[in-house]
Each structure stands twice: as C-alpha cells, then as structure tokens.
Amino acid sequence: MMTPILYIIAILWIALGTFLIVFTDRTRDTLGRVFVVERIKALSLLPLVFGAVLIIGAFTSTDPFWFVFILGILGLSKGVYWVMAPSTQIKGLLEWWFSKATPETIRFWGLLAFVFGILLMACIK
C-alpha cells in the first residue's frame, strides 16, 4: 500500500531537484508564487503529510529503515516549524530563498533533492 506513495514522493523529489538545477530562476519564481507567506500556515500541511507518510513507509515497505525514517522526521520538523515559527521569521527565510539566495545555492539544494529522491527510490522494495 505504501510503496506506490513512496515512489510518488521519490519521483516528485527527482523532478523538483531536476527543475531547480536546470531551470533555476523559473522554478524559483514558480515556487515563490506557490509558497506565499500568507498561506504558509496552510501549506505547512504538505511537509507534515510527507513526513508522516515517510515515517509510516519506513515501518512498512523499505529495507533501510533509518534513511526513510530520518527523512520523515525532517519533513515533520519542517512542517512543525512552519506552523509554530513567527510569521516574520518565515517571511525572512522565504524572502531570502526566493530573492537573495544565489543560483548556486538553489542548484545545490536541487541536487540534494535529486539525490534524496534517487536514494529513496533505490530503498523502496
């Protein structure tokens, strides 16, 4: 049951990482329109759900339990941070990410997302 969902998450990470590496500015602009600070509390459900799915998936369908479990904990932590942190702090972070971070920084995080997607796909059985 969880295996197809984990494959979808892995493919999403691979796709997002690829877009961040190849189409850095366009992808950053698109994500900037999606992750608006005023909606960040509602959008915090995304990492919360992804984190919960990864944790459940770690217990049900993968061999290297710890890798998937840690990714799930990181996802839950990000979601909790987005819910609990002051809006000014989140606004500053998102403002930096979408307008001040260098393209090399964005590409690095894209590469990281790509690698995590590949590793997750490799771990799924």
Side-chain angles (χ1 to χ4, degrees), residues 1-120:
M1 169 72 183
M2 290 302 297
T3 304
I5 296 171
L6 291 175
Y7 272 117
I8 290 169
I9 291 173
I11 290 169
L12 286 174
W13 275 346
I14 292 168
L16 180 62
T18 302
F19 282 122
L20 283 171
I21 293 167
V22 177
F23 306 111
T24 306
D25 292 329
R26 278 193 279 169
T27 305
R28 185 189 336 196
D29 292 342
T30 302
L31 290 175
R33 281 184 254 122
V34 172
F35 291 99
V36 180
V37 176
E38 290 77 27
R39 294 187 300 176
I40 203 67
K41 300 297 182 188
L43 287 171
S44 66
L45 289 175
L46 209 64
L48 286 171
V49 168
F50 274 75
V53 166
L54 286 169
I55 289 173
I56 293 167
F59 284 102
T60 59
S61 64
T62 58
D63 190 24
F65 166 82
W66 290 109
F67 174 68
V68 179
F69 185 74
I70 289 171
L71 286 176
I73 294 294
L74 289 172
L76 280 176
S77 300
K78 182 178 183 178
V80 169
Y81 170 72
W82 282 7
V83 169
M84 304 289 284
S87 293
T88 56
Q89 190 176 29
I90 295 173
K91 182 180 179 183
L93 179 66
L94 292 178
E95 203 172 275
W96 172 80
W97 177 257
F98 293 121
S99 61
K100 297 178 185 169
T102 64
E104 290 80 16
T105 303
I106 303 296
R107 286 187 190 108
F108 170 75
W109 285 103
L111 181 62
L112 208 59
F114 181 82
V115 169
F116 281 163
I118 295 291
L119 287 173
L120 179 59

